[in-house]
Amino acid sequence: MKTFKTVFDIMFIMLLCFATLLVTMLLQGGLLVGGDGIDYSFGLMSFFATFGALTLYFFFILRSSKKELKVMIDRIYK
């Protein structure tokens, strides 16, 4: 249960950061930069490709870090 809470907290903060950046991009930065703002474009295909790549990376990191942690614990305590 503790692991679930930790993962949920991390994903929630990452989602908030992503939403903040996305909203800023979609508003075209006019209020932040002044003048006409920056012209951003948003494509669903590139969005899903990025989301998929980040998801794969997240699962890879979880698997490999758990393996490395087990090796480190075995070296220290055995």
Side-chain angles (χ1 to χ4, degrees):
M1 187 68 168
K2 184 178 178 182
T3 303
F4 173 74
K5 288 180 184 179
T6 302
V7 170
F8 180 78
D9 285 344
I10 292 169
M11 296 305 288
F12 183 73
I13 296 298
M14 287 177 63
L15 183 66
L16 286 177
C17 291
F18 178 76
T20 302
L21 291 172
L22 181 63
V23 168
T24 303
M25 285 175 56
L26 293 178
L27 290 176
Q28 297 183 357
L31 297 174
L32 296 175
V33 185
D36 293 330
I38 301 170
D39 186 27
Y40 289 107
S41 61
F42 180 80
L44 278 179
M45 192 63 165
S46 61
F47 171 77
F48 285 120
T50 304
F51 183 76
L54 288 174
T55 302
L56 289 173
Y57 178 72
F58 179 74
F59 284 114
F60 170 75
I61 290 297
L62 280 178
R63 261 185 76 194
S64 63
S65 65
K66 190 174 181 180
K67 225 187 303 183
E68 291 293 324
L69 180 62
K70 186 178 180 327
V71 168
M72 185 172 62
I73 289 173
D74 287 343
R75 284 184 188 163
I76 292 172
Y77 294 107
K78 288 188 179 182

